[in-house]
Amino acid sequence: MSYEFGAQRSATRADGRNGAVKLIVQVPCFNEAETLADVLAEIPRTIEGISQVEVQVIDDGSTDATIEVAQKANADHIVRQKSNKGLASSFQAGIDNALAQGADIIVNTDGDNQYCGSSIPDLVRPILEGRADIVLGDRRPGENSEFSISKRLMQRVGSRVVRRLAGIEVPDAVTGFRAYNRDAAMSISVMTRFSYTIETLIHAGQSGLTVTSVPVRTNSATRPSRLFKSIGQFLGRQAVTMVRSCVMYRPLQTFMTAGIIMTIIGALPILRFLYFFAIGDGDGHIQSLVLGGVFLLAGYMTIVIAFLSDTIATNRRLAEEALTRLRRLEADRQPHDNGRQGPAPAPTNIAAE
């Protein structure tokens, strides 16, 4: 049984005998020198069904010895960002470089050693078997004693957002431990600077990609999260992500719903004014007419915006398809050696703008 990894990739068997399957495990880092060595040491270099496993470290402007640790651990690729641009930017830079290096599957894990590298084979298995385009590592926050109340709240909020906007049922939407096949990775375009987790899942659901989850093991926390300073900040940023996702991926429904609500609100005081006017008492209720007129006008304009936004969203989808095709052409033009034998080459160092 064979499966396709990209339109221009050869068919590959899950056992790797009739086709080379290349896996790149990427680790976005910002000042992770203390834990990075342990993270890289846990990544298995031999996985059934995978012919080649490579490790990629994305340095997000670290000021400690993250780069030196990555070099000492023989990371195959090191992508450097000149300044700290945030997790979402690091993730996107890593995806772009992994595709350029000929990856058929990309696994993303964190540099703080939260996730067990021994779970990577479980994470990629649904992709190798052709059952999924994206696989999420389910940390089972409801059962994990390491998870605080705030983390459990984050998981519930993220899962509800994804279920509502993308129609995907996932138990741990904010996990950073996930695997992508080549087609799914090529479709990724992260717009936010905060975190890629929710946005990429909403995009996957809107694009018709198959998303599944597998249970994974986790390590004890080594430090508090650097992604946010408080649960309030996290919820606020995720709320912004949710609103942006509504506008980007479901503009017609979002603006149309808002426009209809405002139209109904505007109609009520106007009907009230007409009632009093009909019984000869309309002089004292001009305010209702003004208020209703304002809401009706706002509702009308919002409905017009709904149709304009839907047209813009159609153009955006066409642009995304063009970008995906361009990425495929550029990636497949690169010389790759997925069946490489012998010693690994020196690490590839790339400076990302």
Side-chain angles (χ1 to χ4, degrees), residues 107-140:
V107 167
N108 187 87
T109 188
D110 288 349
D112 60 359
N113 201 29
Q114 176 183 176
Y115 307 107
C116 292
S118 58
S119 292
I120 291 178
D122 298 329
L123 202 63
V124 301
R125 187 170 297 117
I127 293 178
L128 287 171
E129 294 174 352
R131 296 188 286 111
D133 300 301
I134 301 174
V135 184
L136 307 182
D138 178 14
R139 298 167 292 178
R140 292 163 291 185

PDB file of all heavy atoms in Angstrom, residues 107-140:
ATOM      1  N   VAL A 107       8.063  17.254  12.213  1.00  0.00           N
ATOM      2  CA  VAL A 107       7.589  17.208  13.602  1.00  0.00           C
ATOM      3  C   VAL A 107       8.085  18.449  14.311  1.00  0.00           C
ATOM      4  O   VAL A 107       9.264  18.806  14.211  1.00  0.00           O
ATOM      5  CB  VAL A 107       8.094  15.947  14.330  1.00  0.00           C
ATOM      6  CG1 VAL A 107       7.880  16.062  15.841  1.00  0.00           C
ATOM      7  CG2 VAL A 107       7.381  14.707  13.807  1.00  0.00           C
ATOM      8  N   ASN A 108       7.184  19.118  15.017  1.00  0.00           N
ATOM      9  CA  ASN A 108       7.551  20.294  15.810  1.00  0.00           C
ATOM     10  C   ASN A 108       7.486  19.934  17.289  1.00  0.00           C
ATOM     11  O   ASN A 108       6.503  19.363  17.762  1.00  0.00           O
ATOM     12  CB  ASN A 108       6.597  21.445  15.533  1.00  0.00           C
ATOM     13  CG  ASN A 108       7.034  22.730  16.214  1.00  0.00           C
ATOM     14  OD1 ASN A 108       7.823  23.500  15.669  1.00  0.00           O
ATOM     15  ND2 ASN A 108       6.521  22.990  17.419  1.00  0.00           N
ATOM     16  N   THR A 109       8.557  20.235  18.009  1.00  0.00           N
ATOM     17  CA  THR A 109       8.572  20.033  19.454  1.00  0.00           C
ATOM     18  C   THR A 109       9.174  21.270  20.109  1.00  0.00           C
ATOM     19  O   THR A 109       9.722  22.134  19.426  1.00  0.00           O
ATOM     20  CB  THR A 109       9.358  18.769  19.838  1.00  0.00           C
ATOM     21  OG1 THR A 109       9.199  18.511  21.235  1.00  0.00           O
ATOM     22  CG2 THR A 109      10.837  18.917  19.505  1.00  0.00           C
ATOM     23  N   ASP A 110       9.068  21.363  21.425  1.00  0.00           N
ATOM     24  CA  ASP A 110       9.533  22.554  22.136  1.00  0.00           C
ATOM     25  C   ASP A 110      10.939  22.360  22.693  1.00  0.00           C
ATOM     26  O   ASP A 110      11.360  21.242  22.995  1.00  0.00           O
ATOM     27  CB  ASP A 110       8.582  22.903  23.282  1.00  0.00           C
ATOM     28  CG  ASP A 110       7.265  23.472  22.767  1.00  0.00           C
ATOM     29  OD1 ASP A 110       7.189  23.778  21.567  1.00  0.00           O
ATOM     30  OD2 ASP A 110       6.317  23.602  23.568  1.00  0.00           O
ATOM     31  N   GLY A 111      11.640  23.484  22.854  1.00  0.00           N
ATOM     32  CA  GLY A 111      13.000  23.430  23.358  1.00  0.00           C
ATOM     33  C   GLY A 111      13.109  23.351  24.865  1.00  0.00           C
ATOM     34  O   GLY A 111      14.213  23.254  25.403  1.00  0.00           O
ATOM     35  N   ASP A 112      11.968  23.404  25.577  1.00  0.00           N
ATOM     36  CA  ASP A 112      12.025  23.361  27.040  1.00  0.00           C
ATOM     37  C   ASP A 112      11.918  21.940  27.589  1.00  0.00           C
ATOM     38  O   ASP A 112      11.770  21.747  28.794  1.00  0.00           O
ATOM     39  CB  ASP A 112      10.916  24.233  27.638  1.00  0.00           C
ATOM     40  CG  ASP A 112       9.523  23.771  27.214  1.00  0.00           C
ATOM     41  OD1 ASP A 112       9.419  22.794  26.450  1.00  0.00           O
ATOM     42  OD2 ASP A 112       8.535  24.406  27.643  1.00  0.00           O
ATOM     43  N   ASN A 113      11.973  20.951  26.681  1.00  0.00           N
ATOM     44  CA  ASN A 113      11.951  19.534  27.065  1.00  0.00           C
ATOM     45  C   ASN A 113      10.629  19.126  27.715  1.00  0.00           C
ATOM     46  O   ASN A 113      10.581  18.229  28.560  1.00  0.00           O
ATOM     47  CB  ASN A 113      13.115  19.193  28.006  1.00  0.00           C
ATOM     48  CG  ASN A 113      13.441  17.701  28.013  1.00  0.00           C
ATOM     49  OD1 ASN A 113      13.225  17.008  27.020  1.00  0.00           O
ATOM     50  ND2 ASN A 113      13.949  17.206  29.120  1.00  0.00           N
ATOM     51  N   GLN A 114       9.542  19.777  27.308  1.00  0.00           N
ATOM     52  CA  GLN A 114       8.229  19.397  27.831  1.00  0.00           C
ATOM     53  C   GLN A 114       7.768  18.058  27.278  1.00  0.00           C
ATOM     54  O   GLN A 114       7.163  17.257  27.985  1.00  0.00           O
ATOM     55  CB  GLN A 114       7.195  20.478  27.472  1.00  0.00           C
ATOM     56  CG  GLN A 114       5.782  20.113  27.895  1.00  0.00           C
ATOM     57  CD  GLN A 114       4.742  21.133  27.473  1.00  0.00           C
ATOM     58  OE1 GLN A 114       3.551  20.929  27.677  1.00  0.00           O
ATOM     59  NE2 GLN A 114       5.185  22.238  26.876  1.00  0.00           N
ATOM     60  N   TYR A 115       8.069  17.792  25.994  1.00  0.00           N
ATOM     61  CA  TYR A 115       7.580  16.593  25.333  1.00  0.00           C
ATOM     62  C   TYR A 115       8.670  15.526  25.262  1.00  0.00           C
ATOM     63  O   TYR A 115       9.845  15.834  25.060  1.00  0.00           O
ATOM     64  CB  TYR A 115       7.096  16.922  23.924  1.00  0.00           C
ATOM     65  CG  TYR A 115       6.094  18.045  23.890  1.00  0.00           C
ATOM     66  CD1 TYR A 115       6.464  19.311  23.411  1.00  0.00           C
ATOM     67  CD2 TYR A 115       4.798  17.870  24.338  1.00  0.00           C
ATOM     68  CE1 TYR A 115       5.547  20.355  23.378  1.00  0.00           C
ATOM     69  CE2 TYR A 115       3.881  18.916  24.316  1.00  0.00           C
ATOM     70  CZ  TYR A 115       4.264  20.147  23.839  1.00  0.00           C
ATOM     71  OH  TYR A 115       3.364  21.183  23.816  1.00  0.00           O
ATOM     72  N   CYS A 116       8.276  14.280  25.397  1.00  0.00           N
ATOM     73  CA  CYS A 116       9.223  13.169  25.328  1.00  0.00           C
ATOM     74  C   CYS A 116       9.504  12.829  23.869  1.00  0.00           C
ATOM     75  O   CYS A 116       8.571  12.529  23.109  1.00  0.00           O
ATOM     76  CB  CYS A 116       8.662  11.941  26.040  1.00  0.00           C
ATOM     77  SG  CYS A 116       8.528  12.117  27.830  1.00  0.00           S
ATOM     78  N   GLY A 117      10.778  12.842  23.497  1.00  0.00           N
ATOM     79  CA  GLY A 117      11.148  12.503  22.128  1.00  0.00           C
ATOM     80  C   GLY A 117      10.786  11.080  21.759  1.00  0.00           C
ATOM     81  O   GLY A 117      10.587  10.763  20.580  1.00  0.00           O
ATOM     82  N   SER A 118      10.650  10.210  22.754  1.00  0.00           N
ATOM     83  CA  SER A 118      10.303   8.812  22.481  1.00  0.00           C
ATOM     84  C   SER A 118       8.895   8.670  21.927  1.00  0.00           C
ATOM     85  O   SER A 118       8.527   7.609  21.412  1.00  0.00           O
ATOM     86  CB  SER A 118      10.436   7.982  23.761  1.00  0.00           C
ATOM     87  OG  SER A 118       9.608   8.503  24.790  1.00  0.00           O
ATOM     88  N   SER A 119       8.080   9.731  22.003  1.00  0.00           N
ATOM     89  CA  SER A 119       6.716   9.693  21.460  1.00  0.00           C
ATOM     90  C   SER A 119       6.662  10.067  19.984  1.00  0.00           C
ATOM     91  O   SER A 119       5.589   9.992  19.374  1.00  0.00           O
ATOM     92  CB  SER A 119       5.803  10.638  22.253  1.00  0.00           C
ATOM     93  OG  SER A 119       5.586  10.177  23.568  1.00  0.00           O
ATOM     94  N   ILE A 120       7.784  10.463  19.398  1.00  0.00           N
ATOM     95  CA  ILE A 120       7.792  10.874  17.995  1.00  0.00           C
ATOM     96  C   ILE A 120       7.334   9.754  17.059  1.00  0.00           C
ATOM     97  O   ILE A 120       6.546  10.004  16.136  1.00  0.00           O
ATOM     98  CB  ILE A 120       9.171  11.421  17.594  1.00  0.00           C
ATOM     99  CG1 ILE A 120       9.419  12.764  18.299  1.00  0.00           C
ATOM    100  CG2 ILE A 120       9.296  11.590  16.077  1.00  0.00           C
ATOM    101  CD1 ILE A 120      10.772  13.382  18.032  1.00  0.00           C
ATOM    102  N   PRO A 121       7.772   8.495  17.237  1.00  0.00           N
ATOM    103  CA  PRO A 121       7.254   7.422  16.363  1.00  0.00           C
ATOM    104  C   PRO A 121       5.731   7.304  16.409  1.00  0.00           C
ATOM    105  O   PRO A 121       5.094   7.055  15.375  1.00  0.00           O
ATOM    106  CB  PRO A 121       7.943   6.166  16.912  1.00  0.00           C
ATOM    107  CG  PRO A 121       9.213   6.673  17.515  1.00  0.00           C
ATOM    108  CD  PRO A 121       8.849   7.999  18.114  1.00  0.00           C
ATOM    109  N   ASP A 122       5.140   7.468  17.599  1.00  0.00           N
ATOM    110  CA  ASP A 122       3.676   7.423  17.706  1.00  0.00           C
ATOM    111  C   ASP A 122       3.042   8.590  16.967  1.00  0.00           C
ATOM    112  O   ASP A 122       1.957   8.462  16.370  1.00  0.00           O
ATOM    113  CB  ASP A 122       3.251   7.465  19.169  1.00  0.00           C
ATOM    114  CG  ASP A 122       3.750   6.268  19.963  1.00  0.00           C
ATOM    115  OD1 ASP A 122       3.874   5.178  19.355  1.00  0.00           O
ATOM    116  OD2 ASP A 122       4.022   6.417  21.164  1.00  0.00           O
ATOM    117  N   LEU A 123       3.725   9.735  16.991  1.00  0.00           N
ATOM    118  CA  LEU A 123       3.188  10.950  16.379  1.00  0.00           C
ATOM    119  C   LEU A 123       3.154  10.841  14.853  1.00  0.00           C
ATOM    120  O   LEU A 123       2.223  11.335  14.212  1.00  0.00           O
ATOM    121  CB  LEU A 123       4.036  12.148  16.810  1.00  0.00           C
ATOM    122  CG  LEU A 123       3.406  13.537  16.741  1.00  0.00           C
ATOM    123  CD1 LEU A 123       2.217  13.649  17.683  1.00  0.00           C
ATOM    124  CD2 LEU A 123       4.436  14.607  17.070  1.00  0.00           C
ATOM    125  N   VAL A 124       4.158  10.228  14.253  1.00  0.00           N
ATOM    126  CA  VAL A 124       4.233  10.171  12.784  1.00  0.00           C
ATOM    127  C   VAL A 124       3.509   8.964  12.193  1.00  0.00           C
ATOM    128  O   VAL A 124       3.280   8.918  10.977  1.00  0.00           O
ATOM    129  CB  VAL A 124       5.704  10.173  12.307  1.00  0.00           C
ATOM    130  CG1 VAL A 124       6.425  11.413  12.795  1.00  0.00           C
ATOM    131  CG2 VAL A 124       6.441   8.915  12.749  1.00  0.00           C
ATOM    132  N   ARG A 125       3.145   7.996  13.037  1.00  0.00           N
ATOM    133  CA  ARG A 125       2.537   6.773  12.499  1.00  0.00           C
ATOM    134  C   ARG A 125       1.259   7.029  11.708  1.00  0.00           C
ATOM    135  O   ARG A 125       1.086   6.465  10.612  1.00  0.00           O
ATOM    136  CB  ARG A 125       2.277   5.768  13.631  1.00  0.00           C
ATOM    137  CG  ARG A 125       1.810   4.398  13.114  1.00  0.00           C
ATOM    138  CD  ARG A 125       1.787   3.364  14.214  1.00  0.00           C
ATOM    139  NE  ARG A 125       3.130   3.142  14.737  1.00  0.00           N
ATOM    140  CZ  ARG A 125       3.493   3.410  15.990  1.00  0.00           C
ATOM    141  NH1 ARG A 125       2.610   3.919  16.835  1.00  0.00           N
ATOM    142  NH2 ARG A 125       4.722   3.176  16.394  1.00  0.00           N
ATOM    143  N   PRO A 126       0.297   7.861  12.191  1.00  0.00           N
ATOM    144  CA  PRO A 126      -0.903   8.092  11.381  1.00  0.00           C
ATOM    145  C   PRO A 126      -0.609   8.693  10.014  1.00  0.00           C
ATOM    146  O   PRO A 126      -1.349   8.439   9.051  1.00  0.00           O
ATOM    147  CB  PRO A 126      -1.724   9.059  12.253  1.00  0.00           C
ATOM    148  CG  PRO A 126      -1.274   8.791  13.651  1.00  0.00           C
ATOM    149  CD  PRO A 126       0.197   8.500  13.529  1.00  0.00           C
ATOM    150  N   ILE A 127       0.455   9.484   9.901  1.00  0.00           N
ATOM    151  CA  ILE A 127       0.831  10.046   8.605  1.00  0.00           C
ATOM    152  C   ILE A 127       1.417   8.963   7.720  1.00  0.00           C
ATOM    153  O   ILE A 127       1.079   8.864   6.534  1.00  0.00           O
ATOM    154  CB  ILE A 127       1.824  11.214   8.785  1.00  0.00           C
ATOM    155  CG1 ILE A 127       1.133  12.392   9.484  1.00  0.00           C
ATOM    156  CG2 ILE A 127       2.395  11.658   7.432  1.00  0.00           C
ATOM    157  CD1 ILE A 127       2.040  13.577   9.746  1.00  0.00           C
ATOM    158  N   LEU A 128       2.277   8.135   8.269  1.00  0.00           N
ATOM    159  CA  LEU A 128       2.861   7.044   7.488  1.00  0.00           C
ATOM    160  C   LEU A 128       1.791   6.079   6.992  1.00  0.00           C
ATOM    161  O   LEU A 128       1.911   5.522   5.900  1.00  0.00           O
ATOM    162  CB  LEU A 128       3.890   6.285   8.333  1.00  0.00           C
ATOM    163  CG  LEU A 128       5.212   6.997   8.607  1.00  0.00           C
ATOM    164  CD1 LEU A 128       6.030   6.223   9.634  1.00  0.00           C
ATOM    165  CD2 LEU A 128       6.007   7.173   7.326  1.00  0.00           C
ATOM    166  N   GLU A 129       0.757   5.896   7.782  1.00  0.00           N
ATOM    167  CA  GLU A 129      -0.313   4.971   7.402  1.00  0.00           C
ATOM    168  C   GLU A 129      -1.366   5.634   6.526  1.00  0.00           C
ATOM    169  O   GLU A 129      -2.345   4.992   6.142  1.00  0.00           O
ATOM    170  CB  GLU A 129      -0.966   4.403   8.658  1.00  0.00           C
ATOM    171  CG  GLU A 129      -0.024   3.517   9.478  1.00  0.00           C
ATOM    172  CD  GLU A 129      -0.635   3.071  10.799  1.00  0.00           C
ATOM    173  OE1 GLU A 129      -1.726   3.575  11.144  1.00  0.00           O
ATOM    174  OE2 GLU A 129      -0.028   2.215  11.471  1.00  0.00           O
ATOM    175  N   GLY A 130      -1.181   6.920   6.225  1.00  0.00           N
ATOM    176  CA  GLY A 130      -2.108   7.621   5.343  1.00  0.00           C
ATOM    177  C   GLY A 130      -3.424   7.988   5.984  1.00  0.00           C
ATOM    178  O   GLY A 130      -4.396   8.305   5.290  1.00  0.00           O
ATOM    179  N   ARG A 131      -3.482   8.020   7.321  1.00  0.00           N
ATOM    180  CA  ARG A 131      -4.737   8.311   8.026  1.00  0.00           C
ATOM    181  C   ARG A 131      -4.906   9.776   8.392  1.00  0.00           C
ATOM    182  O   ARG A 131      -5.992  10.180   8.818  1.00  0.00           O
ATOM    183  CB  ARG A 131      -4.823   7.459   9.302  1.00  0.00           C
ATOM    184  CG  ARG A 131      -4.892   5.979   9.052  1.00  0.00           C
ATOM    185  CD  ARG A 131      -5.172   5.202  10.330  1.00  0.00           C
ATOM    186  NE  ARG A 131      -4.012   5.125  11.218  1.00  0.00           N
ATOM    187  CZ  ARG A 131      -3.931   5.736  12.384  1.00  0.00           C
ATOM    188  NH1 ARG A 131      -4.925   6.511  12.809  1.00  0.00           N
ATOM    189  NH2 ARG A 131      -2.852   5.602  13.139  1.00  0.00           N
ATOM    190  N   ALA A 132      -3.849  10.575   8.278  1.00  0.00           N
ATOM    191  CA  ALA A 132      -3.936  11.969   8.721  1.00  0.00           C
ATOM    192  C   ALA A 132      -2.929  12.836   7.977  1.00  0.00           C
ATOM    193  O   ALA A 132      -1.898  12.354   7.500  1.00  0.00           O
ATOM    194  CB  ALA A 132      -3.693  12.065  10.224  1.00  0.00           C
ATOM    195  N   ASP A 133      -3.262  14.118   7.881  1.00  0.00           N
ATOM    196  CA  ASP A 133      -2.338  15.118   7.349  1.00  0.00           C
ATOM    197  C   ASP A 133      -1.588  15.817   8.478  1.00  0.00           C
ATOM    198  O   ASP A 133      -0.437  16.202   8.318  1.00  0.00           O
ATOM    199  CB  ASP A 133      -3.104  16.168   6.535  1.00  0.00           C
ATOM    200  CG  ASP A 133      -3.853  15.555   5.361  1.00  0.00           C
ATOM    201  OD1 ASP A 133      -3.190  14.931   4.515  1.00  0.00           O
ATOM    202  OD2 ASP A 133      -5.085  15.706   5.304  1.00  0.00           O
ATOM    203  N   ILE A 134      -2.264  15.996   9.606  1.00  0.00           N
ATOM    204  CA  ILE A 134      -1.681  16.640  10.783  1.00  0.00           C
ATOM    205  C   ILE A 134      -2.002  15.781  11.996  1.00  0.00           C
ATOM    206  O   ILE A 134      -3.137  15.323  12.161  1.00  0.00           O
ATOM    207  CB  ILE A 134      -2.243  18.065  10.993  1.00  0.00           C
ATOM    208  CG1 ILE A 134      -1.955  18.936   9.764  1.00  0.00           C
ATOM    209  CG2 ILE A 134      -1.661  18.702  12.243  1.00  0.00           C
ATOM    210  CD1 ILE A 134      -2.602  20.313   9.831  1.00  0.00           C
ATOM    211  N   VAL A 135      -1.009  15.551  12.840  1.00  0.00           N
ATOM    212  CA  VAL A 135      -1.204  14.758  14.053  1.00  0.00           C
ATOM    213  C   VAL A 135      -0.785  15.596  15.251  1.00  0.00           C
ATOM    214  O   VAL A 135       0.314  16.151  15.286  1.00  0.00           O
ATOM    215  CB  VAL A 135      -0.379  13.457  14.018  1.00  0.00           C
ATOM    216  CG1 VAL A 135      -0.693  12.605  15.254  1.00  0.00           C
ATOM    217  CG2 VAL A 135      -0.660  12.657  12.752  1.00  0.00           C
ATOM    218  N   LEU A 136      -1.669  15.689  16.246  1.00  0.00           N
ATOM    219  CA  LEU A 136      -1.399  16.452  17.456  1.00  0.00           C
ATOM    220  C   LEU A 136      -1.021  15.509  18.592  1.00  0.00           C
ATOM    221  O   LEU A 136      -1.632  14.449  18.758  1.00  0.00           O
ATOM    222  CB  LEU A 136      -2.635  17.263  17.861  1.00  0.00           C
ATOM    223  CG  LEU A 136      -3.252  18.176  16.805  1.00  0.00           C
ATOM    224  CD1 LEU A 136      -4.430  18.920  17.402  1.00  0.00           C
ATOM    225  CD2 LEU A 136      -2.224  19.139  16.247  1.00  0.00           C
ATOM    226  N   GLY A 137      -0.040  15.927  19.380  1.00  0.00           N
ATOM    227  CA  GLY A 137       0.341  15.168  20.560  1.00  0.00           C
ATOM    228  C   GLY A 137      -0.556  15.535  21.727  1.00  0.00           C
ATOM    229  O   GLY A 137      -0.477  16.648  22.247  1.00  0.00           O
ATOM    230  N   ASP A 138      -1.429  14.635  22.121  1.00  0.00           N
ATOM    231  CA  ASP A 138      -2.386  14.889  23.191  1.00  0.00           C
ATOM    232  C   ASP A 138      -1.718  14.650  24.549  1.00  0.00           C
ATOM    233  O   ASP A 138      -1.381  13.522  24.903  1.00  0.00           O
ATOM    234  CB  ASP A 138      -3.595  13.963  23.025  1.00  0.00           C
ATOM    235  CG  ASP A 138      -4.625  14.134  24.132  1.00  0.00           C
ATOM    236  OD1 ASP A 138      -4.542  15.134  24.873  1.00  0.00           O
ATOM    237  OD2 ASP A 138      -5.516  13.258  24.247  1.00  0.00           O
ATOM    238  N   ARG A 139      -1.546  15.729  25.309  1.00  0.00           N
ATOM    239  CA  ARG A 139      -0.906  15.629  26.628  1.00  0.00           C
ATOM    240  C   ARG A 139      -1.881  15.175  27.713  1.00  0.00           C
ATOM    241  O   ARG A 139      -1.487  15.048  28.866  1.00  0.00           O
ATOM    242  CB  ARG A 139      -0.318  16.989  27.006  1.00  0.00           C
ATOM    243  CG  ARG A 139       0.762  17.475  26.069  1.00  0.00           C
ATOM    244  CD  ARG A 139       1.085  18.940  26.304  1.00  0.00           C
ATOM    245  NE  ARG A 139      -0.030  19.804  25.915  1.00  0.00           N
ATOM    246  CZ  ARG A 139      -0.029  21.120  26.046  1.00  0.00           C
ATOM    247  NH1 ARG A 139       1.025  21.722  26.558  1.00  0.00           N
ATOM    248  NH2 ARG A 139      -1.069  21.835  25.655  1.00  0.00           N
ATOM    249  N   ARG A 140      -3.143  14.964  27.335  1.00  0.00           N
ATOM    250  CA  ARG A 140      -4.208  14.578  28.281  1.00  0.00           C
ATOM    251  C   ARG A 140      -4.176  15.465  29.525  1.00  0.00           C
ATOM    252  O   ARG A 140      -3.983  14.992  30.644  1.00  0.00           O
ATOM    253  CB  ARG A 140      -4.058  13.106  28.676  1.00  0.00           C
ATOM    254  CG  ARG A 140      -4.326  12.141  27.535  1.00  0.00           C
ATOM    255  CD  ARG A 140      -3.800  10.767  27.811  1.00  0.00           C
ATOM    256  NE  ARG A 140      -2.339  10.760  27.817  1.00  0.00           N
ATOM    257  CZ  ARG A 140      -1.590   9.656  27.942  1.00  0.00           C
ATOM    258  NH1 ARG A 140      -2.168   8.495  28.067  1.00  0.00           N
ATOM    259  NH2 ARG A 140      -0.280   9.737  27.954  1.00  0.00           N
TER     260      ARG A 140
END
